Amino acid sequence: MFLPKNRTLLEFSVFQGKSLLKFSADICLNHTMTIKTRNGSLLIFSFIAIASFLIHGGLFVWASFNDTIFQPQSPIRIYEFNLGGIFSYSFTSSIVAILVLAFLAPLLSLAVFRGFEKTQSLEIVFFIGILASLLMESVRIYIPYYGLWKSYSKSLAYIGKIIIGARLLFPLSLFFAQLFHAQEHNQNAERNLALLFVLTSLIAFFYPVNSGIITTSNTVLWGLRKFFITARVLIMMTTFVSMLIEGYNTGIKANYTKALGALTFFFGHLILSSADSVFTLAAGLIVFLAGCMIYLKSIHYIRNTWN
């Protein structure tokens, strides 16, 4: 892979993460989001995500053989279970969780492209935001690979900002998909998607991070932790209630299934993105995939049956 002059692989990867939101917004502002454009965007994203996964996977193999993975010392565990066994902190599980998220980005992108290739659905336009959030999570892997936790660096602060954006982009994408999925919003789809990325970028840029503290999920600690998690849950619950109300008003029972799928999808991502044990890794992946499948199948049914 071509690297810009005077940039290491780490710097270039951080640069890619910082630029992802802006790049996506620029695409949206300069193109009409037709089915053809949407499908083209999904294919391009798939290629980028595949390349990213191969880089991170290859780096993991190389670092494993050369014993250059540096486990953070005394990391903070956000969610403490104190149950032992499969619930105990596992550095390996936290690394695998990052690689799983990196793999899910191209996998879901290709699956959505195939499943919705001829289906007009504005929800899938905003699903691009979910895919982007999965890809952004992969930058966490550089903290143990390069031992960034050993001292302060700008790259560490940038990674913290990128992860804040990723964690916020996921529920906001589901919220925007529910808010702007009606056909009257079709002409403004590209503007609304751009708004999603710009809003997330601004919040992530100004949100405080504490790069001096590393968590067991290989990220830095951000400020106002309870406020941040509460805000994400509130965004999701607002989306969930809106879907239930839509189901009641339209009489389409599949909207209730979509609401359940979206809620499950969100909590699966919440668990998987913070996985630091065998249990949270396995549970997060199962809940994530189940929620994703229910959510996408419900959207496909509604758009092909009731439109």
Side-chain angles (χ1 to χ4, degrees):
M1 182 176 182
F2 174 74
L3 298 180
K5 187 177 181 180
N6 297 326
R7 286 189 182 273
T8 64
L9 177 59
L10 169 61
E11 291 171 331
F12 185 48
S13 298
V14 172
F15 173 76
Q16 282 182 308
K18 290 170 60 184
S19 303
L20 181 58
L21 297 178
K22 181 179 182 298
F23 172 75
S24 303
D26 288 342
I27 291 177
C28 298
L29 288 171
N30 289 286
H31 296 276
T32 301
M33 190 60 70
T34 61
I35 292 181
K36 183 177 180 180
T37 304
R38 184 202 68 191
N39 291 342
S41 299
L42 284 171
L43 274 180
I44 293 173
F45 182 89
S46 298
F47 295 139
I48 295 174
I50 290 172
S52 176
F53 173 73
L54 291 176
I55 290 173
H56 293 133
L59 184 59
F60 173 75
V61 173
W62 179 86
S64 297
F65 276 107
N66 289 275
D67 197 26
T68 55
I69 299 178
F70 303 96
Q71 180 176 344
Q73 296 180 359
S74 303
I76 299 296
R77 196 173 194 190
I78 305 300
Y79 309 106
E80 186 61 63
F81 295 100
N82 293 321
L83 297 176
I86 60 174
F87 298 93
S88 300
Y89 166 57
S90 168
F91 175 68
T92 301
S93 295
S94 67
I95 293 294
V96 173
I98 298 174
L99 293 174
V100 167
L101 288 169
F103 177 71
L104 285 172
L107 179 66
L108 292 181
S109 181
L110 291 172
V112 168
F113 172 78
R114 294 283 298 183
F116 289 83
E117 187 174 3
K118 298 180 180 180
T119 302
Q120 178 67 52
S121 172
L122 292 180
E123 287 101 333
I124 299 305
V125 173
F126 294 102
F127 199 82
I128 295 174
I130 291 176
L131 297 173
S133 73
L134 298 180
L135 187 60
M136 292 162 64
E137 287 279 353
S138 62
V139 300
R140 287 189 287 141
I141 211 162
Y142 291 105
I143 292 179
Y145 278 4
Y146 287 90
L148 296 181
W149 53 268
K150 295 180 180 179
S151 62
Y152 172 80
S153 69
K154 290 184 178 180
S155 294
L156 194 60
Y158 290 151
I159 288 174
K161 298 288 186 180
I162 292 170
I163 298 308
I164 287 175
R167 301 287 168 89
L168 187 60
L169 185 58
F170 194 96
L172 276 179
S173 295
L174 292 171
F175 176 74
F176 271 60
Q178 177 60 20
L179 186 63
F180 299 117
H181 75 277
Q183 288 303 311
E184 58 261 30
H185 297 295
N186 189 53
Q187 292 184 341
N188 296 319
E190 67 279 359
R191 184 198 65 184
N192 294 331
L193 184 58
L195 177 63
L196 168 65
F197 282 107
V198 171
L199 177 62
T200 304
S201 298
L202 289 174
I203 296 175
F205 181 79
F206 290 106
Y207 204 86
V209 296
N210 186 350
S211 56
I213 301 178
I214 304 298
T215 70
T216 51
S217 58
N218 292 299
T219 186
V220 300
L221 197 68
W222 49 76
L224 305 172
R225 283 185 298 159
K226 292 183 179 179
F227 169 79
F228 188 68
I229 183 62
T230 300
R232 292 162 64 198
V233 172
L234 284 177
I235 292 171
M236 187 61 240
M237 293 310 300
T238 301
T239 305
F240 177 71
V241 172
S242 176
M243 291 178 179
L244 294 179
I245 294 174
E246 181 184 15
Y248 177 81
N249 290 336
T250 61
I252 302 175
K253 294 183 179 180
N255 280 304
Y256 297 126
T257 307
K258 184 178 77 169
L260 177 62
L263 188 65
T264 306
F265 193 22
F266 168 76
F267 279 106
H269 176 263
L270 188 67
I271 298 170
L272 186 57
S273 61
S274 301
D276 61 0
S277 67
V278 174
F279 174 78
T280 51
L281 172 60
L285 181 58
I286 293 172
V287 176
F288 179 94
L289 291 176
C292 180
M293 182 175 65
I294 295 171
Y295 177 67
L296 291 176
K297 280 192 171 183
S298 299
I299 293 174
H300 193 274
Y301 172 78
I302 293 171
R303 297 298 159 235
N304 287 287
T305 304
W306 297 96
N307 281 358

